[in-house]
Amino acid sequence: MTTWAGTANADLQVDGRWRQSALSEEFTVQQWLPGCGPEPKSARTGGGEIIALRAEGDELAFVGGGRVFRTNQCYDPMPNLNRETHLREPNGKTWRTRCTTPANDPRKAILNTLVVVSSDTHVDVVETGRYEITLETGRCMADVKRTRSFDIVRDEAPATPSTANQPAAPKEPKPDPKPAACESPGAPSRLEVRPSQKLLRTGETFAFRPVVLDDKGCATKTSTTWQVSAADNGKGVSVDKDGKVTVASDAPEGSVEIVATAAGKSTRVTIQVTQPGNYDDLLARSGLNAAGENDSASSVSIGTTSIGAGEGRVEDRSKTRRLVFVAIIGGTLLVLGALALVLLRRSRRAASLEKQAADRHQTRLREALDRRQQREEAHASQQRAHEASLVAVEAATRAANAVRTVPLNAPKPVAAPEPELECPTCGKSFDAGVAFCPHDGVALIPKVAVAGAVMAKNGQPKRGKICPTCGDRFEGGADFCGKDGTQLVLLN
């Protein structure tokens, strides 16, 4: 945004030769990291150079000392600075300009430049601002105050214009220096564009001459791109991909900046547009050569970028940042790989431990089943032995009873047939040789025992009973074994 607060002061006469003082830069570092390059230091540089100061419409132009500065610019020549606001105060002797870097630029700068013509012989330039560099590891921040003054050279002060004292004729242009001839140029190191200033009439065209050099001064084949600065768009000036500038026939008078970029670094050149009728007079007073050009080049180092007015520099850390980023990614991948290896080993160990636990469980289960089977087999064996003993006891008891009932003088008994057996539960009869009732599973007994049991129920003395399964004896009134529930049988 540009604001004109009044008309130019007609009494302001500044055209002439001026001597500039040393550039004073006072830096106050708020915070700084090694990745931002060298920490900016306060210093005083230059001083004593003779420059040409002239009025260009409502602005002043300071030409010399290796650069061109205008009051509608900030004093810091950073190529990526864009003018945000500009104001000329009503007295016509004070200019204020604010510049910032693009929002997406990691090297942020905010600058405020004040130019004051305090008298016809003295001009002050004061610039304050802040620089910030954002890295992946943090942020660097420094404040700056920059001052420089200009004093007129009295013995060469401009005299009142007259026909008898006309400016000297412009000198012939010097040929451009030729780059060194190299068979194998190195990496691009410096961009130079000639001329750094060009005076053009409306309706004219002009092609700037760029060259990209390596460290040895050899020309490289690095391409250069061109554009009109954002602050000067819409002023009737255009530039094509080859650096050819075209000034429209209706373009207004004034200065326009062209931005040349190579290998990511930019520099600016200036075009002064004037009407054809004013060209000769402006050329005679401009200090340019007969072709309307200056003999110096606008240049920028591709390997470094400035932070300050050209004297203080900070290294271009983009390569370092890339290396740091790659190192961080590589380190992260190594850590993740180590973590994955540890987890893999732990998962394998866990699987091994799980398999071992399953094997132990199966072993213990087999052992428990074996012990159970052994107990069952031992119990079955004991059961069979017990049943065999009961049969033996019963047989012995019957034999003893038979001996007691036989008289001494009785003839030898004749073997009687085996008695029939009867189920004490259902009362069904069975032949000898059947041990259990096929209907209810109860052990069969002789019919005599059943008859005795019936007699006991009719009032006869009750006899004792025995369990045919476990062999335990019970009173005559019991019917079933208290241990295994088997039907008891009467003792003989």
Side-chain angles (χ1 to χ4, degrees):
M1 178 182 70
T2 303
T3 302
W4 306 112
T7 59
N9 191 334
D11 297 332
L12 184 61
Q13 298 293 330
V14 295
D15 289 15
R17 300 173 65 82
W18 295 66
R19 178 177 286 106
Q20 67 181 10
S21 70
L23 176 65
S24 174
E25 292 182 305
E26 300 178 6
F27 286 96
T28 302
V29 177
Q30 304 296 339
Q31 60 185 29
W32 206 260
L33 300 174
C36 295
E39 183 176 308
K41 304 293 183 181
S42 299
R44 290 175 60 86
T45 56
E49 298 87 356
I50 301 299
I51 62 101
L53 177 60
R54 62 175 180 265
E56 294 182 353
D58 292 319
E59 306 294 336
L60 300 182
F62 300 74
V63 182
R67 63 173 298 183
V68 177
F69 167 67
R70 291 178 174 80
T71 50
N72 61 358
Q73 302 172 327
C74 287
Y75 200 76
D76 189 331
M78 286 179 66
N80 57 338
L81 277 177
N82 295 323
R83 184 176 63 203
E84 189 174 272
T85 61
H86 178 61
L87 169 68
R88 182 177 58 82
E89 294 188 354
N91 60 13
K93 297 182 179 181
T94 303
W95 293 261
R96 300 179 186 273
T97 307
R98 177 182 174 88
C99 301
T100 60
T101 51
N104 58 351
D105 196 324
R107 295 164 297 183
K108 182 179 180 180
I110 301 175
L111 298 174
N112 295 283
T113 305
L114 173 67
V115 180
V116 179
V117 180
S118 56
S119 69
D120 291 340
T121 60
H122 186 83
V123 178
D124 288 308
V125 177
V126 180
E127 185 172 79
T128 59
R130 168 168 289 187
Y131 299 99
E132 294 183 11
I133 301 177
T134 302
L135 303 177
E136 295 177 357
T137 56
R139 185 173 61 175
C140 303
M141 186 185 308
D143 296 326
V144 65
K145 180 179 180 181
R146 188 175 290 116
T147 58
R148 171 166 266 171
S149 61
F150 299 84
D151 293 289
I152 196 169
V153 179
R154 293 184 180 277
D155 58 346
E156 297 184 17
T160 302
S162 65
T163 58
N165 187 16
Q166 296 295 331
K171 58 185 178 180
E172 291 298 319
K174 295 180 180 180
D176 294 346
K178 294 184 178 181
C182 302
E183 295 182 359
S184 301
S189 176
R190 184 177 181 83
L191 168 63
E192 292 184 356
V193 180
R194 296 178 185 274
S196 62
Q197 184 179 1
K198 173 65 177 176
L199 180 63
L200 286 176
R201 303 175 183 87
T202 54
E204 286 187 330
T205 60
F206 177 77
F208 283 96
R209 304 180 293 276
V211 61
V212 181
L213 307 174
D214 64 7
D215 291 335
K216 297 180 181 179
C218 301
T220 69
K221 295 182 179 181
T222 305
S223 61
T224 304
T225 59
W226 304 85
Q227 63 179 359
V228 178
S229 68
D232 294 323
N233 278 326
K235 290 187 177 181
V237 177
S238 61
V239 60
D240 64 13
K241 62 182 181 63
D242 298 320
K244 183 178 179 180
V245 177
T246 302
V247 181
S249 58
D250 58 348
E253 290 188 330
S255 61
V256 175
E257 288 188 338
I258 305 297
V259 181
T261 304
K265 300 297 179 178
S266 301
T267 188
R268 299 187 179 212
V269 292
T270 303
I271 293 176
Q272 183 68 34
V273 179
T274 185
Q275 295 294 326
N278 300 329
Y279 180 85
D280 293 336
D281 180 59
L282 187 57
L283 176 62
R285 293 187 292 110
S286 66
L288 302 177
N289 58 33
E293 307 172 5
N294 63 359
D295 296 325
S296 62
S298 177
S299 62
V300 62
S301 295
I302 295 176
T304 60
T305 183
S306 63
I307 179 171
E311 288 78 8
R313 294 186 178 273
V314 172
E315 298 180 34
D316 181 4
R317 308 299 294 182
S318 59
K319 183 176 181 180
T320 302
R321 289 196 296 271
R322 288 194 296 270
L323 293 177
V324 170
F325 177 75
V326 171
I328 292 174
I329 296 300
T332 303
L333 292 177
L334 288 176
V335 172
L336 292 176
L339 181 60
L341 182 60
V342 171
L343 293 177
L344 178 61
R345 289 182 177 178
R346 288 187 177 181
S347 63
R348 289 179 178 176
R349 182 179 179 186
S352 177
L353 293 176
E354 184 177 358
K355 185 177 182 303
Q356 293 176 8
D359 293 342
R360 286 197 299 269
H361 174 72
Q362 292 295 333
T363 301
R364 291 175 181 175
L365 182 60
R366 286 194 298 269
E367 292 175 351
L369 292 175
D370 291 343
R371 288 194 298 270
R372 180 178 178 181
Q373 184 177 1
Q374 291 173 2
R375 287 195 300 269
E376 290 177 351
E377 291 177 353
H379 177 71
S381 177
Q382 293 173 0
Q383 183 73 18
R384 289 193 297 270
H386 177 68
E387 291 176 355
S389 64
L390 289 178
V391 173
V393 169
E394 185 176 356
T397 302
R398 285 198 296 267
N401 290 335
V403 171
R404 285 196 298 270
T405 56
V406 176
L408 294 175
N409 55 357
K412 291 183 179 181
V414 180
E418 293 182 1
E420 289 184 350
L421 301 178
E422 188 176 60
C423 176
T425 300
C426 63
K428 293 182 180 181
S429 299
F430 299 91
D431 294 333
V434 180
F436 298 91
C437 177
H439 300 287
D440 48 29
V442 178
L444 302 179
I445 60 175
K447 285 188 175 182
V448 177
V450 175
V454 173
M455 290 176 63
K457 291 181 180 179
N458 295 330
Q460 295 296 329
K462 295 182 179 180
R463 290 179 292 173
K465 294 181 180 181
I466 187 171
C467 175
T469 300
C470 63
D472 287 351
R473 297 177 182 244
F474 298 86
E475 294 293 334
D479 294 322
F480 299 93
C481 177
K483 291 184 177 181
D484 49 30
T486 304
Q487 178 77 37
L488 301 179
V489 297
L490 291 171
L491 292 173
N492 293 332

